[in-house]
Amino acid sequence: MDDHNHHTGQPRGPERMSRRAILTAGAGLAATQIIPGGTAGAQEPKKDPPAAKGPFPARAYAATKADAPLGPLKIERRAVGPHDVLLDVLYCGVCHSDIHQARDEWAEWGPTTYPCVPGHEIIGRVAAVGEKVTKFKVGDVGGVGCMVDSCRTCDPCRSDREQNCEKGATFTYNAPDKHGPAKVTYGGYSDKIVATEHFVIRIPPGADLAATAPLLCAGITTFSPMQHWKLKGGQKVGVIGLGGLGHLAVKLAVARKADVTVFTTSPGKVKDAVRLGAKDAVLSTDADAMKRLANTFDLLISTAPKAYPMGPFVNALKAGGTLVNVGAMEELKGVTGINLIYARKSVAGSMIGGIAETQEVIDYCAARGITADVELIAPEDINKAFDRVVKKDVRYRFVIDMAKLK
Ligand SMILES: [Zn+2]
Ligand SMILES: [Zn+2]
């Protein structure tokens, strides 16, 4: 893997922050104290004047229709508004959602508008900030996950659950973009992105940037249910599916000292699950193993991207246990009332996490050295990478080196 240290250097010149201020920023605390008066970037020579005046060009990789490979495309990004941050994208993770969306596989509930620029695990260097921005200054490293906006006034928004915004959060790609210049938002398979500062996550100094990118979707998606269902040390948790989300779920649950079992359909991943810290790993096709594990788990986190028969997994829950589906959008299969009623079991859903919680998982992982296992690819390798994700042939997340975009 590349040496990422050159991406984590401190800003130079008059804008250099004190070491304490940087540590404070990294810990996600008291950001407004760092730059009193909200004059972030004011003393910094504006590097990017076109961005300040109007929409400006950016380069991207896009799908132009459901069955076409992704290819290079020139797009426009909006002018940097007073509360906006412009990131020069360094890395972008490849999520299974990117494939679903690029190939219009979610037509039923989220039809794709083409061209579609996927990518919602974005890490970039701050290249410009609006005059009201207080959270970032030029040279900082920021992250953009699955959302770039929400109403900020409804109950969920005011309770730090922007992902559940009653008016609909603006997702990072393929969502109607009230700011323009395009009709829909364009994601991180691009060299630049503009987002309002509230939706940009601070990335602590010293983080391995490529391996941190996947925390912005895969990490928060698995962290949030552990927080909500209060997974504690010693509890038994099962992770269903060992891919981009699943391997982070294992690491995050192990960090809580939970007792982790992995369910996989790939015999080749059984050993890997143990390497990642799981106590046990079973093939979910092994009916005997599934029977042996009946009434075992406090929490099951299902990361499989498609519906599958859930009955055997509901049986594996302890009385009062919960199976949280974070991956499958279709009608769920194999869940009967009696299975839930008899031992007060729940089947629940969870989607990413709010912005504060996303900052929390980033800081939590930075403090504990938790990152994704990544395979770095060049932008032109994206179509091959999509095919390999579908074939479950990646350990465990592709990350695009966006600085290599030609
Ligand atoms: Zn994702
Ligand atoms: Zn809202």
Side-chain angles (χ1 to χ4, degrees), residues 267-287:
K269 286 183 180 172
V270 169
K271 235 196 244 163
D272 234 19
V274 175
R275 175 186 64 82
L276 290 165
K279 278 222 180 116
D280 195 6
V282 296
L283 284 172
S284 42
T285 47
D286 179 348

Side-chain angles (χ1 to χ4, degrees), residues 151-152 154 157 165-166:
C151 85
R152 314 278 302 274
C154 72
C157 279
C165 176
E166 287 168 3

Side-chain angles (χ1 to χ4, degrees), residues 22 69 78 116 133 141 149 223 325 332 337 343 357 378 381 387 394:
I22 287 168
R78 72 168 186 254
C116 171
V133 168
V141 179
D149 213 347
F223 181 74
N325 166 43
L332 301 180
E357 199 172 54
D381 296 330
D387 290 339
V394 53

Side-chain angles (χ1 to χ4, degrees), residues 95-157:
C95 177
H96 210 124
S97 303
D98 301 353
I99 301 170
H100 286 309
Q101 202 74 71
R103 297 182 176 174
D104 204 14
E105 289 166 356
W106 285 343
E108 206 182 309
W109 47 82
T112 303
T113 301
Y114 294 98
C116 171
V117 179
H120 58 203
E121 294 179 342
I122 304 162
I123 300 263
R125 171 82 57 194
V126 176
V129 293
E131 73 255 24
K132 300 242 168 85
V133 168
T134 58
K135 202 166 144 184
F136 293 95
K137 55 191 198 40
V138 171
D140 288 349
V141 179
V144 175
C146 303
M147 296 178 283
V148 287
D149 213 347
S150 73
C151 85
R152 314 278 302 274
T153 59
C154 72
D155 273 0
C157 279

